[in-house]
Amino acid sequence: SAGLTGLDWGGGILVFWSIAEIRNCHVIGNYGGLNGGGIQKNCSVLLIEDCLIANNTSSIGGGGIGCAQGGEITISDCVLSENLTTQWGGGIYLASGTVGSVTGCSIVNNLSQYYGGGINLGSTPEEQIIGGSDSDGNHFHGNWAAVGCDLAAINADVIINARYNTFSGNFSSDYYVSPQSRFDLSYCESGLVPIEQDVYVSISGSDQNTGLSWDQSFLTINQALSVVYGSEANPITIHIGEGVFTAPT
């Protein structure tokens, strides 16, 4: 599907009260008025495998894939790229009550204005699996959200099995995975060596700088947040210079 619009659910594909499989498909450039810009699953059991899900948009949750009203979903060996939503899950939104498994996927450059740029998970009494084994790990890169750029689970009530994933950012930081206490991140790997000292931001800086002095200051606060890693034992200060900072357009 490409370039389709759903008034409420599922801009590209809506699966409702069904047992369904979607394999080897491209779901690109669709819009869902509420949830599921690319694909929306409601009250169903759904398998999505070997699909490209890209450049889809929803106004509330699941820019790429949205899941609601119970049921189960398995997403494997897919690419989710440059999907957008305003609230929950730029790439994938697993709403409360949905049992989900996401394995072997590349989840890159998705955006949510609030929670979970890559994936946002709700509450469920059963274990959610994001990766889970050494042959099933996902790759997260370039996602962004106000809370949990790669993974968020603000309302989760069980520990989420997020083992064996790889992250271009620092998965041990709440900036990328939030809250840390809701995820089992054992055996995950990070492509970023975090900065564990004060950094500097100024309107004359550059995000290509080291950020370790005023002369080498970053340009954006977001860059500083993305690379620092502090703790109670080692608190870090982001020093911000005078000037007017504005959101990118």
Side-chain angles (χ1 to χ4, degrees):
S1 65
L4 302 177
T5 298
L7 294 179
D8 293 317
W9 307 91
I13 300 171
L14 172 62
V15 179
F16 190 74
W17 283 107
S18 302
I19 299 175
E21 297 181 356
I22 302 172
R23 301 177 186 265
N24 301 308
C25 292
H26 287 188
V27 183
I28 300 173
N30 305 287
Y31 174 78
L34 294 177
N35 291 343
I39 301 170
Q40 176 68 26
K41 176 209 71 65
N42 290 357
C43 307
S44 299
V45 176
L46 176 60
L47 167 68
I48 305 173
E49 186 175 78
D50 290 315
C51 292
L52 171 63
I53 300 162
N55 299 108
N56 302 286
T57 304
S58 69
S59 62
I60 294 180
I65 301 171
C67 308
Q69 300 175 349
E72 300 179 13
I73 188 165
T74 300
I75 305 168
S76 66
D77 301 313
C78 293
V79 175
L80 291 105
S81 175
E82 298 187 8
N83 301 288
L84 167 68
T85 194
T86 57
Q87 295 190 28
W88 302 299
I92 301 170
Y93 174 41
L94 302 179
S96 297
T98 297
V99 178
S101 171
V102 182
T103 59
C105 294
S106 293
I107 301 167
V108 298
N109 298 330
N110 301 284
L111 186 147
S112 171
Q113 293 181 16
Y114 288 92
Y115 302 106
I119 304 175
N120 185 79
L121 302 100
S123 63
T124 176
E126 300 184 51
E127 183 183 52
Q128 308 274 42
I129 298 174
I130 309 297
S133 71
D134 58 358
S135 61
D136 288 330
N138 305 286
H139 176 63
F140 294 87
H141 171 77
N143 303 294
W144 189 87
V147 177
C149 286
D150 289 320
L151 293 169
I154 304 305
N155 297 317
D157 45 16
V158 296
I159 301 300
I160 295 158
N161 181 351
R163 300 176 181 179
Y164 292 99
N165 296 295
T166 62
F167 298 81
S168 62
N170 177 22
F171 65 85
S172 298
S173 167
D174 208 63
Y175 178 84
Y176 291 100
V177 179
S178 181
Q180 290 276 310
S181 62
R182 293 293 88 195
F183 293 89
D184 178 357
L185 295 162
S186 303
Y187 310 109
C188 288
E189 297 181 359
S190 172
L192 173 71
V193 177
I195 296 174
E196 298 183 273
Q197 64 185 78
D198 288 4
V199 295
Y200 299 80
V201 178
S202 73
I203 59 173
S204 61
S206 167
D207 286 345
Q208 305 305 311
N209 288 340
T210 65
L212 300 181
S213 67
W214 285 119
D215 288 340
Q216 282 289 313
S217 61
F218 294 133
L219 175 63
T220 66
I221 298 169
N222 186 67
Q223 175 66 12
L225 290 170
S226 72
V227 297
V228 298
Y229 181 56
S231 64
E232 186 174 349
N234 181 39
I236 289 172
T237 299
I238 298 175
H239 301 271
I240 301 174
E242 294 183 357
V244 178
F245 293 83
T246 59
T249 57

